[in-house]
Amino acid sequence: MVTEPITYGTLYLCATPIGNLEDMTPRALRMLQEADLIAAEDTRHTLQLLNHFGIKGHLIRYDEHSKEKQGAYLLEELLAGKNIALVSDAGFPGIADPGEALAKDAIANGIRVVPVPGANAALCALIASGLPAYPFFFGGFLPKSKKNRREQLELWKYIPATMILYEAPHRIEEVLEDILASWGDRPICAARELTKLHEEFYRGTVSSCLAWLQEQGARGEFCLIIGQGTEAAPNEEEELDPLDEVKKLIAEGMDKKAALQQVAKKHKIQKRELYNRLLIEDEGEN
């Protein structure tokens, strides 16, 4: 008896427009038409997109709150041979949304994962920012709590790259205040309503951007492109002279012989050389 090989389905990560529906690609439309299931962050939002293009599809909600339960169900369907198109509300699924978890699980189970390119807010803002496009670091959304946000900013302070962040309108001002406090007054481009009728770019510094927002008001989702800092990362503690290392270890309670042996091995020098230097210094102090 010949057993037919098991055939899994394919997970298609389909980019959708970030505002302008003309940015929907023919390939993404075909994937949505042909998929057995369409997993969507917001089924109501995605239904509007499908209706606009005359697509009938079986929608399944898959968001941050349902990703564990729905993720297990979608994985079962993929293992059973179903093809699934995964979409977010806008842009690429898997970037700053729960699609990342489903893609990871699919790959771990040997399921084929296929990206279907399209619009992306981070890259659209980057190339129109006027700031260096390479290298860049994508940080997504900063933590919501002020304490955690400040800690994250400190961790990223010395990254030698243009920084890309996403932020919601109701938090944008306090986030910029924290960036100003942690990173200083760097050059910035704040992009909002990308690809939409009221697309807007503000190019200046973090402090001037804050003033602009306070005057104009914060409307729409923001993508922040922030220039690299000019302050160098603090140097690691200068390496001690081998003899000073020996004295430091002895002061901390290590046996003199063990301290000499450890430091000599570390610096690949003769223990006798270190011992003689230590004797000379001790004699000089007496």
Side-chain angles (χ1 to χ4, degrees):
M1 179 179 177
V2 178
T3 304
E4 292 187 6
I6 298 172
T7 304
Y8 297 151
T10 299
L11 177 63
Y12 295 97
L13 307 178
C14 298
T16 53
I18 58 176
N20 193 322
L21 292 177
E22 292 179 10
D23 292 333
M24 191 70 180
T25 69
R27 184 183 176 205
L29 288 173
R30 180 169 62 82
M31 293 299 101
L32 292 176
Q33 288 171 333
E34 296 177 358
D36 297 301
L37 296 170
I38 299 171
E41 192 174 7
D42 185 333
T43 53
R44 293 168 299 179
H45 180 87
T46 301
L47 183 59
Q48 293 177 352
L49 178 73
L50 298 180
N51 288 340
H52 178 83
F53 290 105
I55 297 173
K56 303 292 183 183
H58 184 183
L59 278 168
I60 299 290
R61 189 176 186 87
Y62 176 79
D63 59 13
E64 190 63 36
H65 305 292
S66 65
K67 67 180 183 182
E68 288 189 15
K69 180 181 178 182
Q70 295 292 69
Y73 167 73
L74 292 170
L75 189 60
E76 286 179 7
E77 294 294 285
L78 287 163
L79 291 170
K82 298 286 183 68
N83 292 326
I84 296 176
L86 175 66
V87 298
S88 66
D89 285 349
F92 270 86
I95 296 182
D97 83 9
E100 177 183 1
L102 183 58
K104 182 179 179 181
D105 288 343
I107 291 167
N109 282 274
I111 293 164
R112 185 171 173 234
V113 175
V114 176
V116 182
N120 174 264
L123 296 181
C124 285
L126 177 65
I127 62 174
S129 68
L131 293 169
Y134 178 83
F136 68 83
F137 174 86
F138 177 71
F141 287 95
L142 286 167
K144 293 179 181 179
S145 95
K146 193 175 188 69
K147 178 179 180 295
N148 293 340
R149 186 162 60 237
R150 285 288 185 94
E151 289 175 355
Q152 188 67 75
L153 288 170
E154 284 302 311
L155 285 174
W156 291 347
K157 184 174 182 177
Y158 299 108
I159 291 177
T162 298
M163 309 294 289
I164 306 177
L165 302 173
Y166 286 160
E167 198 47 72
H170 62 280
R171 278 196 305 269
I172 185 69
E173 288 187 32
E174 63 177 293
V175 164
L176 287 176
E177 287 169 357
D178 287 343
I179 289 172
L180 185 60
S182 296
W183 293 355
D185 206 8
R186 296 188 184 187
I188 191 173
C189 172
R192 64 182 176 188
E193 301 293 286
L194 286 166
T195 76
K196 300 178 184 176
L197 180 63
H198 300 293
E199 176 180 273
E200 189 171 15
F201 293 87
Y202 177 85
R203 300 176 180 90
T205 61
V206 176
S207 62
S208 66
C209 185
L210 259 171
W212 171 72
L213 283 171
Q214 288 161 357
E215 180 182 338
Q216 300 291 326
R219 299 179 301 276
E221 298 293 319
F222 283 83
C223 186
L224 303 176
I225 311 297
I226 305 166
Q228 179 181 336
T230 56
E231 185 181 356
N235 291 325
E236 294 182 3
E237 185 180 344
E238 288 187 9
E239 192 174 87
L240 291 173
D241 177 274
L243 183 60
D244 290 332
E245 285 189 51
V246 171
K247 291 193 290 185
K248 183 173 182 288
L249 290 172
I250 293 172
E252 291 172 353
M254 184 178 285
D255 175 75
K256 183 190 291 186
K257 183 178 179 181
L260 286 164
Q261 186 172 353
Q262 178 175 311
V263 175
K265 184 177 181 181
K266 174 183 173 183
H267 292 277
K268 297 180 180 178
I269 56 179
Q270 291 293 322
K271 186 172 72 172
R272 171 62 61 181
E273 178 187 335
L274 270 179
Y275 178 70
N276 289 339
R277 286 184 62 193
L278 187 61
L279 281 179
I280 292 169
E281 188 157 312
D282 287 345
E283 290 172 1
E285 292 175 355
N286 293 331

